[in-house]
Amino acid sequence: EAQVTQNPRYLITVTGKKLTVTCSQNMNHEYMSWYRQDPGLGLRQIYYSMNVEVTDKGDVPEGYKVSRKEKRNFPLILESPSPNQTSLYFCASSLSATGGPGELFFGEGSRLTVL
Amino acid sequence: GDSVTQMEGPVTLSEEAFLTINCTYTATGYPSLFWYVQYPGEGLQLLLKATKADDKGSNKGFEATYRKETTSFHLEKGSVQVSDSAVYFCALTQGEYGNKLVFGAGTILRVKS
């Protein structure tokens, strides 16, 4: 089954404790992206990747890191989480990075709480 | 910068009522427009899209027409069902390759039986 898988789905952590949210897709998609969803703000892009080893900042990259060593994986790293990073995070992918407006496929989301 | 404005919710309707969720946008160039739907506890999924002016996207009884003159992409459905209860996001493409999506804040739809 074609899917985007995120882990963990739920996490409560404390300020300053490094964490990684993993994202994996099995559709051989070139493009992957991370969004955060906050009430009243919709989804805002954190980072995106056009292909392996190619990543770039989105609208709200502060406090986050990403890497794209393999095509299927795109982990989101919070080196020193703070309470303002409490949010619902979505990983998404699409087939083509340069072929125009393709459909984004989303994971089920990871709800992160930073105390 | 580019942006999307959706009507505030929640929108509460009775089953079989007519639905309109308003969406207007501000963009440079000619973006593609999308409606995504998020059911409770799930990620977003594409509902419909339109890639140029006057295009109509449709799916599962929902429709939206790309209106360049009014910069709008309103979502409509003639007869809603309880199963349509979800959050609906309007979005547009941005960037050199058109892969970045800019989302509206989302509109909660609640349908009562």
Side-chain angles (χ1 to χ4, degrees):
Chain A
E1 180 190 353
Q3 58 186 0
V4 178
T5 304
Q6 298 178 224
N7 279 296
R9 294 287 314 280
Y10 302 91
L11 179 63
I12 300 174
T13 189
V14 295
T15 299
K17 186 176 180 181
K18 180 180 178 180
L19 67 93
T20 299
V21 185
T22 64
C23 174
S24 181
Q25 50 92 5
N26 62 0
M27 296 170 280
N28 202 35
H29 283 173
E30 290 186 355
Y31 180 91
M32 298 185 75
S33 181
W34 277 101
Y35 286 86
R36 59 178 289 174
Q37 181 181 11
D38 301 291
L41 296 177
L43 278 79
R44 294 177 293 168
Q45 191 180 51
I46 302 170
Y47 269 94
Y48 65 96
S49 171
M50 303 281 273
N51 212 327
V52 176
E53 302 293 359
V54 181
T55 64
D56 209 345
K57 296 177 180 178
D59 296 317
V60 288
E62 294 78 20
Y64 305 95
K65 285 175 57 177
V66 294
S67 68
R68 187 94 182 271
K69 294 186 171 60
E70 305 166 279
K71 197 172 189 178
R72 63 184 292 127
N73 296 323
F74 191 46
L76 179 69
I77 303 156
L78 285 74
E79 293 272 1
S80 182
S82 61
N84 65 11
Q85 293 178 296
T86 293
S87 187
L88 179 59
Y89 291 87
F90 287 101
C91 182
S93 70
S94 70
L95 179 63
S96 172
T98 59
E103 175 182 353
L104 273 181
F105 291 82
F106 282 82
E108 293 183 313
S110 297
R111 185 166 293 282
L112 171 64
T113 301
V114 183
L115 302 176
Chain B
D2 297 357
S3 64
V4 176
T5 303
Q6 293 181 232
M7 60 188 293
E8 289 190 25
V11 174
T12 303
L13 297 173
S14 297
E15 213 166 14
E16 299 184 5
F18 184 86
L19 168 72
T20 300
I21 299 178
N22 290 338
C23 170
T24 57
Y25 67 90
T26 302
T28 54
Y30 304 96
S32 293
L33 302 174
F34 300 78
W35 278 100
Y36 277 80
V37 58
Q38 183 181 28
Y39 298 104
E42 299 183 10
L44 283 72
Q45 53 186 275
L46 179 67
L47 181 60
L48 55 84
K49 69 178 183 183
T51 57
K52 61 183 187 299
D54 299 325
D55 267 4
K56 178 186 282 188
S58 62
N59 186 23
K60 300 181 181 179
F62 291 89
E63 292 182 341
T65 300
Y66 190 141
R67 300 285 188 203
K68 186 166 174 291
E69 63 276 11
T70 55
T71 61
S72 65
F73 193 55
H74 304 321
L75 183 67
E76 297 182 334
K77 187 176 186 183
S79 176
V80 293
Q81 306 300 313
V82 172
S83 57
D84 293 326
S85 298
V87 183
Y88 292 82
F89 292 91
C90 186
L92 60 78
T93 51
Q94 186 186 60
E96 181 180 359
Y97 300 110
N99 260 85
K100 179 181 177 183
L101 283 178
V102 176
F103 288 87
T107 302
I108 298 172
L109 171 65
R110 298 187 180 126
V111 181
K112 302 185 297 184
S113 58

